[in-house]
């Protein structure tokens, strides 16, 4: 089973091809999917939560154990199948002889140790153990291997035989020891066939501890109605990374907010303080005003203790993050459709993190079981193609490019779409040149790319995603406004959320641009980007 990161679910064979577009979960639910009012401050009872977390932890450990245990049968199977295959590719080069023992049927060949190619033929009746100095036992795949691997394998086998020679075996045990030596030689020389299909990278061994971080992540997942058996170690790791990334923003917000909001109706001073805090976190003026008005309204009606006031604030923020300019709420998740071409154009100014984001996205896509391709259409900046190629290598995804400097990016995109159509690609990620909004020709180039995409692939699902550097805060938003007007942007990818105190810019992006946030990046590593979830973001932003 593949964990589909876009759907935040394991794909099983049944529904891997179906495409349910599910809303982002915003409703808090008790463990085992019992519904609880989203606005309520009720969290799963602590014992239930602990049990849930323990079950999730056991599940994560079990997944890791299964993965660890997997290679063993593969080797055994491979060795067995090698034993079964008996026809060498070139019978003139190597003649295979069945040894005169009933089982197992291991091929033998007698060769002079110094001669590797051509390998001399063997008399059928020869028993390898009779002339140990001149004969070796080799596995059948050697018959088809090139001379160099044969030499290496023979060295391995010779080592095994040398060990056997130093410890003489009584005659009545010889047959058994020969058999074991041959099996060992066979295992040592077995060639494991590579998997024909591209499989997602195996999950890492669960090294996470059952600690407060784990329990916090478990609570966030349980509150979204997830079940312990659905949880993957990567989800836990990501939530911890996100929370750590938002440390700076959170630390300057939560404690002060708590001190202010838990004291009945907001006084003029409290309003000023909250305003300052939110503006410092780059939430933006418009969004700040809205938040304060809603808080004020609630706190005038009832006195809330600090924890409940913060819970109410979380609800306000989630509602703000889950709306787009079409007024859709909750927002459908952005999930590439299986068995059809999806094209995502990745745009943004230089240095925002476009290329890195493409690398991370392609990794996520492959992991989630999608056939993926990258188009290196940033032909404007020297080295951009090489940079994207190296990310392609890291995520095991092919890159379509034209290495000539200033090649026509629209032509690269045209070629990439042709390649994607021929290969049955499901997700094509297009890297574009970093455009400053005042560079009119570059903006026109982007429109040209868009026209090519629309024309050449009318049936594809197209998204135009703007990469925004969150450390730029409100300044980044000004650039984004220009892009959003001229480039038909459909969503935002917020990068560099780690290490900035301006995490509140996410709220400003949605409020000011009316665009949904689709992914967030919180680090430079390949795993440091995930689909955006307003619930998880707000929990990480305002958790204790
Ligand atoms: N800390 C952190 N750094 C990031 C993140 N995403 C990207 N970066 C870094 O930001 C820098 C610029 O990233 P690029 O991917 O080269 O940016 P770009 O938008 O492609 O830039 P151009 O190729 O010049 O257009 C690199 O050093 C990245 O490692 C992130 O989420 N967190």
């Amino acid at each position: 089973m593949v964990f589909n990161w876009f759907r935040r679910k394991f794909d099983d064979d049944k529904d891997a091809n179906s495409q349910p577009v599910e809303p982002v979960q915003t409703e808090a639910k008790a463990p085992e999917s019992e519904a609880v009012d989203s606005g309520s401050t009720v969290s799963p009872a602590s014992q239930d939560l602990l049990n849930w977390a323990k079950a999730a932890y056991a599940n994560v450990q079990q997944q890791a154990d299964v993965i660890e245990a997997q290679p063993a049968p593969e080797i055994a199977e491979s060795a067995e199948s090698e034993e079964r295959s008996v026809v060498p590719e070139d019978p003139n080069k190597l003649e295979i002889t069945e040894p005169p023992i009933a089982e197992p049927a291991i091929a033998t060949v007698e060769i002079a140790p110094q001669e590797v190619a051509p390998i001399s033929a063997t008399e059928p009746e020869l028993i390898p153990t009779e002339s140990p100095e001149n004969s070796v036992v080799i596995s059948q795949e050697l018959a088809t291997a090139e001379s160099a691997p044969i030499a290496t394998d023979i060295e391995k086998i010779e080592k095994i035989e040398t060990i056997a020679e130093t410890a003489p075996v009584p005659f009545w045990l010889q047959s058994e020891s020969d058999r074991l030596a041959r099996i060992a030689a066979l295992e040592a020389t077995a060639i494991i066939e590579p998997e024909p299909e591209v499989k997602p990278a195996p999950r890492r061994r669960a090294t996470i501890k059952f600690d407060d971080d784990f329990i916090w992540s478990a609570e966030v997942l349980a509150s979204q109605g997830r079940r312990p058996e659905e949880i993957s170690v990567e989800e836990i790791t990501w939530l911890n990374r996100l929370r750590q990334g938002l440390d700076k923003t959170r630390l300057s917000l939560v404690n002060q907010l708590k001190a202010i909001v838990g004291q009945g109706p907001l006084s003029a001073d409290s309003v000023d303080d909250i305003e300052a805090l939110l503006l410092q976190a780059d939430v933006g003026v418009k969004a700040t005003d809205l938040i304060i008005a809603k808080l004020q309204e609630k706190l005038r009606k009832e006195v809330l203790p600090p924890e409940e006031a913060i819970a109410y604030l979380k609800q306000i923020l989630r509602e703000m993050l889950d709306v787009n300019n079409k007024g859709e709420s909750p927002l459908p998740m952005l999930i590439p459709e299986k068995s059809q071409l999806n094209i995502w154009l990745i745009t943004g100014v230089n240095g925002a993190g476009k290329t890195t984001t493409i690398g991370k996205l392609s990794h996520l896509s492959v992991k989630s079981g999608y056939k993926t391709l990258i188009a290196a259409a940033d032909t404007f900046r020297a080295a951009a193609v090489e940079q994207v190629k190296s990310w392609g290598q890291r995520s095991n995804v092919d890159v379509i490019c034209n290495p000539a400097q200033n090649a026509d990016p629209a032509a690269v995109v045209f070629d990439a779409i042709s390649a994607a159509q021929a290969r049955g690609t499901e997700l094509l990620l297009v890297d574009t040149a970093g455009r400053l909004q005042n560079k009119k020709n570059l903006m026109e180039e982007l429109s040209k790319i868009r026209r090519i995409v629309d024309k050449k692939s009318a049936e594809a699902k197209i998204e135009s995603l703007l990469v925004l550097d969150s450390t730029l805060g409100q300044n980044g938003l000004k650039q984004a406004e220009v892009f959003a007007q001229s480039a038909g942007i459909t969503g935002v990818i917020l990068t560099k959320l780690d290490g900035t105190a301006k995490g509140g810019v996410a709220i400003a992006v949605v409020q000011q641009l009316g665009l949904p946030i689709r992914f967030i990046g919180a680090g430079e590593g390949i795993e440091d980007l995930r689909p955006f979830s307003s619930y998880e973001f707000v929990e990480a932003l305002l958790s204790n």
Side-chain angles (χ1 to χ4, degrees):
M1 271 201 297
V2 171
F3 188 80
N4 187 327
W5 266 102
F6 300 106
R7 303 171 65 215
R8 293 297 295 269
K9 279 172 93 170
F10 282 101
D11 272 342
D12 57 31
D13 292 341
K14 258 195 298 60
D15 64 3
N17 290 323
S18 67
Q19 193 63 41
V21 176
E22 292 168 17
V24 176
Q25 280 280 0
T26 55
E27 295 204 343
K29 288 181 183 175
E32 305 303 328
S33 304
E34 246 176 66
V36 172
D37 175 22
S38 65
S40 99
T41 54
V42 181
S43 60
S46 49
Q47 190 52 47
D48 282 353
L49 170 64
L50 204 61
N51 291 340
W52 195 102
K54 282 181 186 165
Y57 189 72
N59 170 56
V60 162
Q61 294 293 348
Q62 202 186 0
Q63 284 170 24
D65 290 343
V66 169
I67 287 153
E68 289 246 309
Q70 269 169 2
E74 267 178 39
I75 292 168
E77 249 177 47
S78 169
E80 273 170 28
S81 64
E82 289 303 335
E83 280 184 50
R84 281 194 296 273
S85 72
V86 289
V87 186
E89 266 182 10
D90 182 356
N92 299 326
K93 250 181 148 182
L94 179 69
E95 192 174 302
I96 293 179
T97 314
E98 293 295 326
I101 46 175
E103 72 89 53
I106 302 168
T108 62
V109 62
E110 187 184 74
I111 58 170
Q114 68 276 22
E115 287 174 359
V116 173
I119 296 172
S120 63
T122 315
E123 287 303 315
E125 63 276 9
L126 275 181
I127 302 170
T129 48
E130 282 178 1
S131 335
E133 68 283 5
N134 289 327
S135 65
V136 289
V137 179
I138 64 167
S139 60
Q140 300 225 357
E141 73 273 4
L142 289 184
T144 56
E146 296 297 331
S147 56
I150 288 174
T152 320
D153 291 339
I154 288 172
E155 274 163 29
K156 280 187 203 157
I157 298 158
E158 279 174 347
K159 255 192 211 153
I160 292 162
E161 289 202 341
T162 316
I163 294 163
E165 274 168 24
T166 54
V169 179
F171 75 94
W172 45 271
L173 269 180
Q174 264 180 14
S175 154
E176 178 61 7
S177 70
D178 288 346
R179 193 175 76 83
L180 293 175
R182 279 195 292 274
I183 289 171
L186 203 55
E187 282 178 354
T189 57
I191 293 169
I192 300 162
E193 291 287 331
E195 288 292 336
E197 279 172 43
V198 177
K199 285 195 170 177
R203 288 184 287 275
R204 278 172 290 174
R205 180 85 176 93
T207 50
I208 43 176
K209 293 193 190 114
F210 189 77
D211 54 11
D212 284 351
D213 286 342
F214 187 95
I215 294 173
W216 175 79
S217 302
E219 184 172 7
V220 171
L221 292 167
S223 303
Q224 294 176 85
R226 300 288 301 280
R227 302 172 70 85
E229 64 272 19
E230 291 173 346
I231 302 311
S232 68
V233 66
E234 288 99 330
E235 280 184 290
I236 301 279
T237 315
W238 162 252
L239 283 174
N240 286 331
R241 197 173 300 142
L242 177 63
R243 190 158 75 132
Q244 259 169 29
L246 288 170
D247 268 355
K248 278 196 189 161
T249 313
R250 185 177 59 250
L251 293 177
S252 58
L253 261 182
V254 180
N255 290 342
Q256 297 182 65
L257 270 178
K258 260 193 190 167
I260 302 167
V261 294
Q263 302 165 351
L266 296 177
S267 65
D269 284 351
S270 314
V271 169
D272 287 349
D273 290 345
I274 296 179
E275 202 164 34
L277 282 175
L278 294 174
L279 290 175
Q280 262 169 36
D282 268 44
V283 170
V285 177
K286 189 175 156 199
T288 300
D289 288 350
L290 210 77
I291 293 166
I292 290 180
K294 286 196 175 183
L295 259 182
Q296 188 76 287
E297 194 188 334
K298 178 89 174 173
L299 295 178
R300 272 204 197 106
K301 283 191 213 148
E302 53 188 311
V303 177
L304 295 179
E307 291 296 343
E308 286 185 32
I310 294 284
Y312 184 66
L313 177 61
K314 285 182 184 174
Q315 190 192 332
I316 296 173
L317 297 184
R318 281 199 302 266
E319 284 169 4
M320 288 171 90
L321 285 166
D322 273 342
V323 186
N324 65 1
N325 54 6
K326 292 183 201 144
E328 289 174 291
S329 178
L331 271 177
M333 291 165 87
L334 176 58
I335 307 169
E337 290 204 10
K338 276 268 174 194
S339 309
Q340 90 145 78
L341 180 56
N342 299 264
I343 304 176
W344 292 1
L345 296 171
I346 311 295
T347 60
V349 298
N350 296 83
K354 264 181 298 97
T355 314
T356 311
T357 297
I358 288 194
K360 293 171 180 173
L361 270 179
S362 60
H363 175 68
L364 202 69
S365 172
V366 170
K367 259 170 91 128
S368 304
Y370 291 85
K371 292 178 201 145
T372 312
L373 193 64
I374 298 174
D378 180 356
T379 56
F380 185 71
R381 186 174 70 87
V385 172
E386 284 313 308
Q387 202 187 341
V388 85
K389 268 160 75 179
S390 99
W391 274 104
Q393 270 166 8
R394 284 178 72 184
S395 51
N396 208 10
V397 169
D398 287 345
V399 175
I400 306 293
C401 61
N402 182 341
Q405 177 111 35
N406 283 330
D408 181 3
V412 174
V413 174
F414 187 91
D415 289 347
I417 295 176
S418 304
Q421 286 166 338
R423 293 164 177 222
T425 296
E426 291 165 315
L427 181 58
L428 171 63
L429 296 164
V430 181
D431 187 21
T432 62
R435 289 164 181 77
L436 286 173
Q437 62 276 18
N438 54 3
K439 297 206 171 172
K440 194 166 168 272
N441 56 338
L442 287 175
M443 296 304 280
E444 278 165 6
E445 180 189 297
L446 190 59
S447 307
K448 189 174 163 195
I449 290 179
R450 181 64 206 231
R451 282 199 302 276
I452 294 281
V453 169
D454 288 337
K455 211 167 156 188
K456 173 107 176 101
S457 187
E459 77 292 350
K461 299 268 168 196
I462 301 161
E463 286 286 327
S464 195
L465 300 171
L466 175 67
V467 178
L468 268 188
D469 177 345
S470 58
T471 62
L472 297 180
Q474 289 290 316
N475 289 337
L477 281 193
K478 291 198 183 80
Q479 298 167 354
E481 272 164 11
V482 179
F483 270 97
Q485 285 154 14
S486 52
I489 302 294
T490 54
V492 169
I493 300 176
L494 215 48
T495 60
K496 309 186 195 180
L497 269 171
D498 53 309
T500 174
K502 299 181 175 184
V505 74
I507 296 149
V509 165
V510 181
Q511 278 297 303
Q512 283 172 236
L513 303 178
L515 289 169
I517 299 171
R518 291 314 198 173
F519 295 91
I520 45 176
E524 293 181 86
I526 199 161
E527 297 276 352
D528 298 340
L529 177 117
R530 292 291 181 253
F532 178 74
S533 147
S534 63
Y535 186 85
E536 291 172 4
F537 180 81
V538 170
E539 285 302 315
L541 189 67
L542 293 181
S543 72
N544 275 325

